[in-house]
Amino acid sequence: MSEKTLAPSQLDQRDASWYVDKLVQILMFVGGISAIIFIIGIFVFITKEGIAFLFEGFSFTEFFGSINWRPTSSNPTYGALALIVGTASVTGVAMLVAIPFSLGAAIYISEFATGRTKETLKVLVELLAAIPSVVWGFIGLSIMNEFIIEVFDVPIGLNVLNAGIILGLMAAPIMTTIAEDALKAVPDRFREAAEAMGATRWQIIRQVIMPAAKNGLVSAVLLGVGRGFGETMAVLMASGHAINIPTSPFDSVRALTATIAAELGETAQGSEHYGALFALGIFLFIITFIINLAADLVVRGIRKK
Amino acid sequence: MVAAETRTKVLEVNDLSISYGPKTAMSGLSLDVYENEIFGIIGPANSGKTSFLRAINRMDAFDSQMNVNGSLRFMGTEVSAWRNDYALRRQIGVVFPLPVGLPMSIYDNVAFAAKLRGVKGKAALDEVVERCLTRAALWDEVKDRLDSLGSQLSGGQQQRLTIARALSQEPTLLMLDEFSIAVDPVTTMRIEDVLKELKKEMTILLVTNLVQQAERLADRTALFLNGSLIEIGYTDALFEGQTQDQRTKDYLEGRFG
Ligand SMILES: Nc1ncnc2c1ncn2[C@@H]1O[C@H](COP(=O)(O)OP(=O)(O)OP(=O)(O)O)[C@@H](O)[C@H]1O
Ligand SMILES: [Mg+2]
């Protein structure tokens, strides 16, 4: 056989790069699958711990309709309404704070800042996102508490307003990052075309860029909401942790997450109280799952366009 | 060149130079463009044609790299002296080489500039949209789907949408930068016919890579080469061989390089 004409069997050899490729594929698969397995595992665990309660002590109307969360009374009741409203009201205030801050910052970074300023700001925002939540809780407990008492002349400063502001400041950096990504993804030729027509900066942002980035901006907000529902430590420290349906921002409330964190250590494993806390956990899991799913579907919407 | 010009000068350019950082893209450019003419600019890549257009509508304001020196008057006023550069740009329609359908409906794409200029009311906007789309030879193809996204049209349709949008500014000066790159020959011819009509109402600056397009459309033509003006002349005369610079003759005859 001449050297130049190779038989098909000689051409078709598995070489090192073929094996490396297969190996990487397998590793990626294992990595991806294990993430999914962990999530399913967590859900199964929470459900398993809460399931007995859901079938025995659980009353749908009590859980969602009563504000009496009295797990330790001699005749215990498990009404989660006040906790749900507490979490929702804190998250609501947080979004009022975080949406203007994060959108404003994202627009500034993406559309106005250039060069050094832009890079510095991006790094700063990422640093802010890395501040541990207990530090934010501490700021709420000490600085914000006194500030609210001083400024609004109210007896306690640990309330919906305090927790909402703290949570809003916490959520803003990650929302800024996502919103900025969405704005950055709008191609420059759209900006140039609108500039050439004589649109002002603000007209371009309002009428061209924000509509084009709408889905990304919405998903930034939804992720912020998800963060608000799930945050525990800062809310525990800043909200006052009192079971209460708030009628003003100066009322203390208690959050779902904070309740679980504060009480789980004191309950006997397998007790009714223990099961009830896991029922709260299942509820939270479902809510955050829905919010994240919504955010994901919205983001998918962008890609389709 | 020619005996006393009495027409209004839309553009008066004197010793204009343009640079990006240390790199010079255009130097020593002097020329006048008169009202209601189609002024063609031809020249190979990198000759500074696009840079010249960008200088006219002050796009240097958005590009910290870009530097413009010398005198560039639009309607008698230095463009750098316009106190409202947005108002300047609203007077000048630009069509870029590659189509840019803005990510909004076809209707809004065309109504956008009209709204910027202060046109209000659905009836008035409807009228602008229909007139401009018709002129850009696009109306028949899109009149039944004005609400769908402009960015979802075909490339050639988007380019005509861009032209319609530029027309909706009712510009004094319309600048087209190699507008037919993404348009089929038949549509190109239709748009060329429209341009001949439009020159009754406005001045057109036509940058083109197609020498024949300049021949068909331009009243006068300028050749740019490597950031300098080589020659300006009446298009007919240039194509009949009455060139002053051998390079112009070579370029027009496609013997260049
Ligand atoms: N935004 C920019 N930043 C930096 N340099 C630029 C920019 N735009 C153009 N240049 C430079 O200016 C020179 C002239 O470019 P210009 O786009 O004006 O050429 P042109 O004649 O339009 O070419 P073409 O026919 O390829 O469009 C080129 O060397 C280019 O690299
Ligand atoms: Mg060009």
Side-chain angles (χ1 to χ4, degrees):
Chain A
M1 195 186 290
S2 89
E3 274 185 289
K4 277 184 184 160
T5 49
L6 291 166
S9 62
Q10 279 169 298
L11 280 172
D12 182 22
Q13 295 289 333
R14 289 180 173 173
D15 54 10
S17 56
W18 189 91
Y19 286 105
V20 169
D21 182 58
K22 275 281 169 279
L23 186 70
V24 170
Q25 275 187 33
I26 291 167
L27 284 177
M28 290 296 153
F29 179 74
V30 171
I33 280 292
S34 59
I36 296 170
I37 289 173
F38 279 134
I39 292 174
I40 294 175
I42 290 169
F43 188 68
V44 168
F45 170 72
I46 297 176
T47 315
K48 189 172 88 26
E49 296 294 317
I51 202 99
F53 173 78
L54 285 182
F55 281 109
E56 289 156 22
F58 183 75
S59 142
F60 192 83
T61 46
E62 183 185 80
F63 192 80
F64 289 107
S66 159
I67 65 164
N68 295 315
W69 180 263
R70 293 195 190 117
T72 50
S73 107
S74 56
N75 179 21
T77 55
Y78 300 99
L81 182 64
L83 310 180
I84 296 170
V85 173
T87 289
S89 58
V90 169
T91 306
V93 172
M95 287 306 109
L96 288 182
V97 173
I99 290 172
F101 267 116
S102 57
L103 287 191
I107 288 173
Y108 181 75
I109 293 174
S110 160
E111 304 301 318
F112 292 95
T114 51
R116 268 267 172 81
T117 326
K118 186 172 187 146
E119 293 313 311
T120 315
L121 280 174
K122 284 169 83 165
V123 170
L124 273 179
V125 167
E126 270 154 33
L127 273 180
L128 280 177
I131 296 178
S133 64
V134 68
V135 174
W136 284 108
F138 184 72
I139 295 173
L141 200 58
S142 52
I143 302 171
M144 282 295 295
N145 183 22
E146 280 174 27
F147 180 78
I148 290 174
I149 293 174
E150 280 287 315
V151 173
F152 296 102
D153 192 24
V154 286
I156 13 165
L158 298 176
N159 48 29
V160 173
L161 183 68
N162 188 335
I165 291 174
I166 290 296
L167 201 54
L169 294 178
M170 268 180 79
I174 182 81
M175 289 166 67
T176 304
T177 306
I178 295 168
E180 200 244 328
D181 281 346
L183 295 174
K184 201 171 56 189
V186 178
D188 275 343
R189 62 200 159 87
F190 292 159
R191 295 183 178 85
E192 275 210 359
E195 278 161 4
M197 270 189 270
T200 62
R201 274 277 184 67
W202 179 237
Q203 285 167 330
I204 296 171
I205 291 168
R206 268 299 296 125
Q207 296 176 43
V208 179
I209 310 220
M210 291 193 36
K214 187 180 66 206
N215 292 351
L217 300 179
V218 169
S219 82
V221 170
L222 285 176
L223 281 168
V225 174
R227 175 93 207 249
F229 264 84
E231 174 51 35
T232 308
M233 188 48 77
V235 177
L236 174 65
M237 292 166 80
S239 66
H241 202 56
I243 294 179
N244 188 16
I245 298 265
T247 53
S248 95
F250 301 108
D251 287 345
S252 297
V253 290
R254 193 198 266 205
L256 286 164
T257 47
T259 305
I260 301 175
E263 295 179 4
L264 195 58
E266 302 158 10
T267 57
Q269 192 170 354
S271 68
E272 198 176 46
H273 186 187
Y274 181 86
L277 292 177
F278 272 90
L280 292 182
I282 295 172
F283 178 69
L284 262 175
F285 193 94
I286 292 171
I287 293 281
T288 41
F289 183 76
I290 289 173
I291 292 170
N292 279 305
L293 191 69
D296 195 57
L297 289 178
V298 173
V299 172
R300 243 168 249 264
I302 323 178
R303 302 231 179 87
K304 244 189 254 155
K305 263 189 209 162
Chain B
M1 220 171 42
V2 185
E5 266 295 353
T6 51
R7 286 178 297 171
T8 313
K9 289 176 181 171
V10 173
L11 282 177
E12 292 161 78
V13 182
N14 250 306
D15 197 21
L16 184 79
S17 60
I18 303 165
S19 57
Y20 298 95
K23 189 179 182 324
T24 305
M26 169 60 64
S27 60
L29 177 67
S30 299
L31 55 80
D32 293 333
V33 176
Y34 302 106
E35 199 172 42
N36 300 107
E37 77 171 335
I38 298 184
F39 188 92
I41 299 177
I42 55 175
N46 186 34
S47 53
K49 308 180 297 292
T50 301
S51 301
F52 176 48
L53 300 191
R54 281 163 56 90
I56 295 171
N57 80 339
R58 298 231 41 217
M59 296 298 273
D60 52 312
F62 299 106
D63 187 343
S64 57
Q65 282 272 305
M66 183 173 174
N67 247 305
V68 179
N69 284 302
S71 166
L72 175 47
R73 288 169 178 269
F74 172 69
M75 301 306 282
T77 311
E78 283 294 335
V79 290
S80 56
W82 277 65
R83 304 211 332 272
N84 181 349
D85 49 346
Y86 302 113
L88 170 73
R89 291 189 197 101
R90 288 200 288 267
Q91 296 274 313
I92 301 174
V94 189
V95 175
F96 296 97
L98 293 176
V100 186
L102 290 176
M104 48 177 87
S105 72
I106 293 172
Y107 184 96
D108 287 335
N109 259 283
V110 184
F112 186 63
K115 284 184 198 158
L116 293 181
R117 149 166 87 74
V119 177
K120 287 201 186 71
K122 177 140 175 41
L125 288 171
D126 283 353
E127 191 273 321
V128 170
V129 170
E130 176 166 354
R131 177 163 45 83
C132 297
L133 283 172
T134 307
R135 281 182 150 180
L138 186 61
W139 174 252
D140 289 335
E141 286 161 57
V142 300
K143 62 171 185 271
D144 298 323
R145 49 170 181 147
L146 291 174
D147 289 333
S148 55
L149 270 182
S151 40
Q152 282 172 349
L153 290 170
S154 81
Q157 288 175 324
Q158 282 193 45
Q159 188 62 310
R160 282 177 280 156
L161 181 63
T162 315
I163 293 173
R165 209 170 53 207
L167 295 180
S168 74
Q169 291 175 243
E170 300 197 341
T172 311
L173 174 66
L174 178 63
M175 310 197 293
L176 300 132
D177 192 356
E178 297 172 20
F179 76 90
S180 54
I181 284 187
V183 184
D184 67 274
V186 177
T187 312
T188 302
M189 288 304 164
R190 283 167 72 190
I191 296 173
E192 287 188 8
D193 290 339
V194 173
L195 295 179
K196 287 180 205 154
E197 281 295 307
L198 282 174
K199 98 178 171 176
K200 293 177 192 146
E201 296 160 40
M202 59 188 74
T203 305
I204 298 173
L205 205 51
L206 176 78
V207 168
T208 177
N209 268 343
L210 307 169
V211 173
Q212 277 70 35
Q213 190 168 59
E215 185 177 12
R216 286 193 296 268
L217 291 177
D219 298 303
R220 289 189 303 145
T221 298
L223 174 69
F224 285 14
L225 181 61
N226 287 330
S228 322
L229 171 67
I230 302 299
E231 179 166 1
I232 303 181
Y234 282 94
T235 310
D236 297 342
L238 290 180
F239 278 88
E240 279 160 17
Q242 299 166 33
T243 53
Q244 283 158 4
D245 194 302
Q246 184 59 31
R247 287 171 292 181
T248 314
K249 201 176 171 68
D250 290 347
Y251 190 76
L252 292 182
E253 290 170 2
R255 285 187 281 108
F256 205 80

